[in-house]
Amino acid sequence: MTLSNFNLQPDFLEDQIVKLIPLEENHFEELYKAASDPLIWEQHPMKDRYKKDVFKTFFETAIDSKGSFLILDKHTNEIMGTTRYYDYNPEKSSVAIGYTFLSRKYWSGPYNKSCKKLLIDYAFQYVDSILFHIGAENFRSQKAVLKLGAEKVNTMVFTNNGVSLPHFEYELKK
């Protein structure tokens, strides 16, 4: 299996309620509006991502990843947030899904599960294992991946700007 077989950024993935399209530079301002709510980031290791300069770095990394998506409400075309594939490893037949956020209007509904299901179903055509890296204090996201059937398999520490950020790794197998 080669990277060319697994397109980390297909033109679109959609179901009845969400649509995922490749993230583009011209999405910054509208996506930032969705991300500028501090409550979105309160359980996240990068709690200041609601600040425009901090979000800009996140956004640029997302664009550079070539695996990021803009999440749209399929009925209104409103920008809900973003998500991405990363750490594709053909030898281990795995890919990670993460860097996901949704504006609070779309919390506690079917949207996150719908988005993840689209990404999972597509990825499982090419890999046998999907990983999720979630901040140790991000209880909402931990619960969400457990509901998807993922299991906690590892504790890790990521470093960002010299700060150690504890994370848990969850795995969902085909």
Side-chain angles (χ1 to χ4, degrees):
M1 187 172 324
T2 64
L3 186 58
S4 63
N5 289 339
F6 184 12
N7 178 1
L8 295 176
Q9 200 177 41
D11 290 339
F12 69 92
L13 298 170
E14 66 182 352
D15 63 12
Q16 299 81 11
I17 61 172
V18 298
K19 182 169 40 174
L20 307 180
I21 62 170
L23 187 66
E24 298 176 356
E25 290 283 347
N26 63 343
H27 295 140
F28 178 77
E29 289 299 330
E30 288 299 312
L31 185 59
Y32 175 67
K33 285 180 190 174
S36 63
D37 178 353
L39 292 178
I40 290 173
W41 308 103
E42 71 179 347
Q43 292 185 14
H44 193 274
M46 299 294 295
K47 296 180 186 337
D48 62 349
R49 197 169 277 158
Y50 66 91
K51 297 177 182 174
K52 196 168 195 173
D53 60 324
V54 177
F55 185 76
K56 181 74 172 163
T57 301
F58 170 83
F59 182 83
E60 289 169 352
T61 303
I63 292 290
D64 291 345
S65 78
K66 306 282 190 250
S68 295
F69 299 91
L70 191 67
I71 306 169
L72 300 169
D73 180 318
K74 187 171 177 179
H75 301 291
T76 65
N77 265 342
E78 181 178 346
I79 292 175
M80 300 167 60
T82 187
T83 191
R84 76 177 92 150
Y85 289 120
Y86 65 99
D87 286 353
Y88 172 56
N89 187 327
E91 291 79 31
K92 292 184 178 179
S93 190
S94 68
V95 70
I97 294 173
Y99 296 96
T100 305
F101 82 87
L102 295 175
S103 59
R104 283 194 295 146
K105 175 180 177 180
Y106 293 99
W107 288 6
S108 301
Y111 303 100
N112 184 54
K113 184 176 183 180
S114 180
C115 176
K116 291 294 193 298
K117 184 171 178 2
L118 286 169
L119 293 167
I120 290 165
D121 289 351
Y122 175 76
F124 274 157
Q125 295 175 53
Y126 305 96
V127 298
D128 296 325
S129 173
I130 296 173
L131 303 171
F132 303 90
H133 302 111
I134 301 172
E137 296 178 8
N138 191 342
F139 306 114
R140 278 190 298 269
S141 292
Q142 291 172 34
K143 287 179 187 175
V145 297
L146 289 171
K147 286 180 184 177
L148 295 171
E151 294 182 18
K152 187 172 162 183
V153 294
N154 199 4
T155 300
M156 337 172 64
V157 175
F158 293 105
T159 303
N160 191 307
N161 294 327
V163 177
S164 295
L165 305 170
H167 281 69
F168 299 131
E169 182 176 58
Y170 293 81
E171 182 178 33
L172 183 63
K173 292 185 179 181
K174 193 188 258 185

